[in-house]
Amino acid sequence: MHQKASIIYQMHPLSMMTAEEIRTSAEILRRSGHIDSNATFHGCCIYEPPKAEVASWVAGDLPDRRLDLVVHSKGETYEARISISRGEVDRWELVPDVIPRVGFLELSKVMDACKSNPDFQKALSERGITDTSTVQIDPWPTGDYGFEFEDGRRVQRCIAFHRPNPDDNGYAFPIDGVMVHVDVDSLEVLHVEDFDQWPMSTEKANYDVDSIVSDYGPLREDLKPVDISQPEGVSFSIEDNQLFWQKWSFRLVMDDTEGLVLHRIAYNQDGVERPIIDRASLAEMVVPYGDTRPSQTFKHALDSGEFGLGMTANSLTLGCDCIGEIVYLDAVQMLDDGSVMSTKNAICIHEEDFGIGWKHTDMLTGQVEVRRSRRLVVSSISTVGNYEYGFFWYFHLDGSIKLEIKLTGILTTRSHRDGDDLTFARQIAPNVAAPIHQHIFCVRLDMAVDGTTNNVIEVNTAALPPGSDNPHGTAFAATETLLSDEKSAMRNTSSASSRYWKIENSHKTNRLGYPTSYRLLPSGTATMFASADSPHGQRAAFAKHNLWVTPTVQSERYAAGDYPTQKNAGHGLPRYTAGNRSITETDVTVWHSFGLTHDVRLEDYPVMPTEYAGFLMVPDGFFERNPAIDVPPSSSGHCH
Ligand code: NI
């Protein structure tokens, strides 16, 4: 047997929380008398001490472990900080005028409330559906459309799909034209909107093996197995939640809201830990729909803040979600009743061969030098309603870091009559279409390139005007612009100028005397199409720019605010940047919004082939030369 990476558990201020800590935090809070048995929980994560405190922590010290909780009690929302180590409530604070995110247990009650409502049942029977057990309810964040009946309430807006058989893909049969607004606390149905009827589709769209074979024909039989083997084991090690691989090190946490969070990403050069990113996380995401039909237009889920990516993380399976020599980490979260939800294999860690790392053939001598590229992959997959989002962080031998978000799952669907205008949707089956929409992610990168005196610079390449110094009109050059304050750092991508941004240390230089830096290379990504003053634009302003830069404040963590459910217009980045603070020669946080415009294809049905969104960070003068120069040649004989 070959060796598996061993996991040694110990306690660090940034260790992942344990089931015991979650249970203890709820107990301490109940014992304190602040809450009664009706209180519900809407957030639970580790308290991250100030960065200096974390940095000065010495191995073997017992940290003061604290959890931050969001509690809904007697109609009010409170934030609590509980010291597990001391058994005390350090903080108990009323947070006025916010709506805590919906809990998973609450969601299933909302579905039941919807199904048992007579007006909704009447709407179903008018569409020929009499058995509510065949109805799938999708609760959606209702947004903020100024409905009086939603005022002061926590509301989910439900749309429905039909499942003639329990295992059917409901998205093949949208029950369009009906929306049900449900109060999450009282479970009252506040409003049933029944605005139109369309023909029900009759074509199934199941995607389990038996259905595929019976509906579409036999599975292909000529795919030979691929086995990934690492006979000497993996090249990484894990201590608690800290990873070490090929000079890289970082800690990882599965946060209830942000999902995967990477702390203290550093590169060890000749025994010196060189920090690059202090904290990398998904700060929010939004999925705005472009369709004007009432059952579609309200959709702009902020899936991270409104549901929680750690709450929706999958339990991954070897050989299916990940292949090769895999090490998994489990994660635990707190459910809305204060109990523990355990997700086994929530984080997948493995190495991948990544093709050619570098190569050259000397044309004169015929000498070939070639090295393989390899990367460490840390990933998790969240299922949020109809969609799957895979978050894949890659660390490479050449010093580059990549985030790739993989989007798959099922399209949400709507109905139409034959011959209807389909400006806002693409047809995917008879009488079924899927609306155009976007997926825009905002990643928060608390940068630390060789320390905390960083600058952010925009680099654009442009052609020079013809003239005596450009006689052939061929000249082009890259120019650098320092982004000096928050307003000037609200920037968008420009593929026409090969635009990128770089984060450099203003005090550290490389051997040639230039500042050490990392480049942020964006993809060709759009911003949000919804206008800035629309409900979508107001609640997810972060998606209106590809780049934002702020001086780092640890509590400024969420791009759409701490409580992005319903009433959050202007919260998050607009509020953080309102004072137009200076961002030079300081600890900077880079917020990068990127994503996909999903103009649906027929091939996205019945289940979507994976689509990709992301960005790359590459060293720029951070190293003295190609950092992968020391990668040894492959040992397999046939390559020489
Ligand atoms: Ni999509």
Side-chain angles (χ1 to χ4, degrees):
M1 279 298 286
H2 48 259
Q3 200 181 341
K4 282 256 182 197
S6 59
I7 304 173
I8 305 161
Y9 287 97
Q10 58 180 22
M11 270 299 164
H12 178 272
L14 299 178
S15 292
M16 280 204 269
M17 60 188 183
T18 65
E20 190 55 36
E21 287 180 324
I22 293 174
R23 275 191 286 269
T24 306
S25 72
E27 269 168 38
I28 293 169
L29 195 56
R30 288 196 177 107
R31 226 169 36 223
S32 73
H34 286 302
I35 56 167
D36 60 26
S37 56
N38 294 323
T40 51
F41 299 84
H42 304 272
C44 177
C45 61
I46 58 166
Y47 161 70
E48 296 173 15
K51 290 202 263 181
E53 195 181 318
V54 175
S56 65
W57 184 83
V58 180
D61 285 1
L62 273 182
D64 180 9
R65 289 281 292 177
R66 286 155 283 183
L67 298 190
D68 279 341
L69 271 53
V70 175
V71 186
H72 195 54
S73 178
K74 301 184 183 93
E76 303 283 4
T77 302
Y78 297 88
E79 290 179 356
R81 179 162 303 146
I82 317 286
S83 167
I84 309 300
S85 315
R86 288 178 279 107
E88 288 169 12
V89 179
D90 287 354
R91 180 165 170 252
W92 177 254
E93 203 170 309
L94 175 73
V95 192
D97 306 321
V98 298
I99 294 183
R101 75 161 175 244
V102 71
F104 275 28
L105 304 174
E106 290 177 328
L107 278 175
S108 62
K109 291 178 199 160
V110 164
M111 294 176 201
D112 292 343
C114 188
K115 283 188 187 182
S116 56
N117 177 266
D119 293 333
F120 178 60
Q121 289 173 353
K122 180 165 165 281
L124 291 177
S125 69
E126 284 171 5
R127 289 162 175 83
I129 300 166
T130 50
D131 178 3
T132 55
S133 75
T134 65
V135 174
Q136 167 190 331
I137 304 294
D138 280 19
W140 277 73
T142 189
D144 185 7
Y145 284 83
F147 295 113
E148 262 177 40
F149 57 81
E150 289 189 343
D151 260 357
R153 295 172 181 266
R154 301 174 60 220
V155 178
Q156 289 283 309
R157 199 187 307 204
C158 300
I159 56 174
F161 300 87
H162 192 213
R163 292 183 179 222
N165 299 301
D167 293 332
D168 280 343
N169 174 4
Y171 298 104
F173 311 111
I175 305 172
D176 206 345
V178 198
M179 287 188 294
V180 185
H181 300 247
V182 182
D183 183 311
V184 175
D185 292 307
S186 67
L187 298 176
E188 289 167 81
V189 170
L190 304 172
H191 184 63
V192 178
E193 190 171 345
D194 185 354
F195 61 90
D196 204 347
Q197 283 184 28
W198 287 269
M200 286 298 290
S201 170
T202 52
E203 190 179 292
K204 288 192 180 226
N206 293 342
Y207 49 89
D208 59 285
V209 168
D210 289 346
S211 301
I212 291 167
V213 170
S214 73
D215 295 349
Y216 310 125
L219 301 182
R220 57 184 79 188
E221 290 175 343
D222 52 354
L223 267 178
K224 305 284 187 247
V226 173
D227 272 329
I228 312 291
S229 91
Q230 294 186 266
E232 295 173 32
V234 298
S235 329
F236 58 87
S237 64
I238 304 176
E239 292 174 17
D240 184 27
N241 62 337
Q242 190 172 21
L243 250 99
F244 300 91
W245 180 77
Q246 293 296 305
K247 308 183 189 186
W248 290 103
S249 68
F250 53 90
R251 278 189 184 271
L252 58 118
V253 164
M254 180 63 86
D255 182 83
D256 62 338
T257 305
E258 302 157 290
L260 277 180
V261 179
L262 275 51
H263 288 280
R264 301 170 66 78
I265 299 170
Y267 195 90
N268 187 313
Q269 193 173 26
D270 307 323
V272 178
E273 286 284 315
R274 296 180 67 190
I276 299 167
I277 305 175
D278 200 69
R279 190 180 192 280
S281 60
L282 190 87
E284 196 45 87
M285 56 179 285
V286 63
V287 190
Y289 282 68
D291 195 349
T292 55
R293 179 177 293 181
S295 55
Q296 307 301 323
T297 191
F298 78 95
K299 292 178 177 175
H300 61 295
L302 280 68
D303 287 327
S304 162
E306 292 191 288
F307 290 119
L309 293 173
M311 300 302 295
T312 51
N314 291 184
S315 180
L316 303 170
T317 25
L318 185 62
C320 305
D321 292 300
C322 329
I323 61 169
E325 282 295 313
I326 307 293
V327 173
Y328 290 106
L329 296 180
D330 304 337
V332 285
Q333 308 294 352
M334 184 190 265
L335 280 169
D336 33 315
D337 64 355
S339 66
V340 175
M341 176 180 77
S342 301
T343 309
K344 194 151 181 59
N345 299 349
I347 303 173
C348 169
I349 304 158
H350 73 289
E351 292 172 280
E352 280 178 2
D353 180 274
F354 191 50
I356 297 290
W358 56 265
K359 173 173 184 167
H360 187 60
T361 302
D362 186 310
M363 291 298 281
L364 295 184
T365 63
Q367 171 77 15
V368 181
E369 292 291 343
V370 56
R371 305 290 186 273
R372 300 297 299 172
S373 175
R374 198 189 294 192
R375 60 188 189 181
L376 178 73
V377 192
V378 176
S379 66
S380 75
I381 301 175
S382 292
T383 302
V384 191
N386 50 302
Y387 263 104
E388 263 70 18
Y389 297 105
F391 298 89
F392 287 68
W393 284 97
Y394 298 107
F395 294 84
H396 299 87
L397 296 172
D398 65 3
S400 58
I401 304 169
K402 181 178 183 174
L403 174 64
E404 188 169 71
I405 300 178
K406 304 188 182 189
L407 299 88
T408 177
I410 319 275
L411 296 162
T412 185
T413 49
R414 47 164 267 179
S415 305
H416 64 273
R417 300 175 192 92
D418 293 338
D420 275 0
D421 173 74
L422 285 177
T423 299
F424 300 116
R426 298 273 187 194
Q427 190 175 359
I428 49 177
N431 303 111
V432 180
I436 192 165
H437 59 276
Q438 295 182 284
H439 303 261
I440 300 184
F441 306 89
C442 182
V443 163
R444 179 185 186 275
L445 303 166
D446 173 0
M447 298 303 301
V449 177
D450 267 334
T452 49
T453 49
N454 285 177
N455 283 323
V456 181
I457 287 148
E458 178 169 300
V459 184
N460 289 287
T461 297
L464 271 60
S468 56
D469 53 353
N470 180 18
H472 306 293
T474 54
F476 59 95
T479 53
E480 301 195 345
T481 309
L482 176 71
L483 303 178
S484 57
D485 53 37
E486 291 175 315
K487 291 268 185 283
S488 66
M490 295 173 192
R491 302 293 296 162
N492 291 339
T493 58
S494 164
S495 45
S497 71
S498 298
R499 178 172 298 163
Y500 65 88
W501 297 287
K502 77 177 182 184
I503 300 92
E504 67 176 30
N505 190 301
S506 52
H507 295 169
K508 297 273 171 61
T509 51
N510 56 36
R511 70 189 167 97
L512 302 179
Y514 296 98
T516 60
S517 80
Y518 256 77
R519 293 183 186 186
L520 168 58
L521 302 177
S523 62
T525 176
T527 53
M528 181 164 68
F529 289 107
S531 74
D533 56 0
S534 67
H536 303 193
Q538 289 285 300
R539 296 190 58 236
F542 65 86
K544 294 298 287 177
H545 294 292
N546 297 120
L547 185 82
W548 304 68
V549 184
T550 58
T552 298
V553 176
Q554 275 178 272
S555 59
E556 294 177 357
R557 196 192 277 193
Y558 305 108
D562 293 358
Y563 296 90
T565 301
Q566 292 174 236
K567 300 280 182 197
N568 71 317
H571 288 219
L573 279 169
R575 196 170 276 189
Y576 301 157
T577 56
N580 196 25
R581 294 167 293 190
S582 166
I583 51 167
T584 58
E585 306 258 330
T586 191
D587 186 357
V588 295
T589 292
V590 169
W591 309 70
H592 179 35
S593 299
F594 61 91
L596 296 171
T597 299
H598 195 175
D599 179 9
V600 171
R601 299 177 294 151
L602 184 52
E603 288 83 350
D604 290 334
Y605 199 66
V607 56
M608 274 174 53
T610 302
E611 275 206 271
Y612 304 87
F615 64 91
L616 183 64
M617 297 192 77
V618 298
D620 177 1
F622 188 83
F623 299 103
E624 307 297 0
R625 58 191 61 79
N626 178 352
I629 200 78
D630 59 353
V631 174
S634 299
S635 51
S636 43
H638 52 258
C639 125
H640 293 284

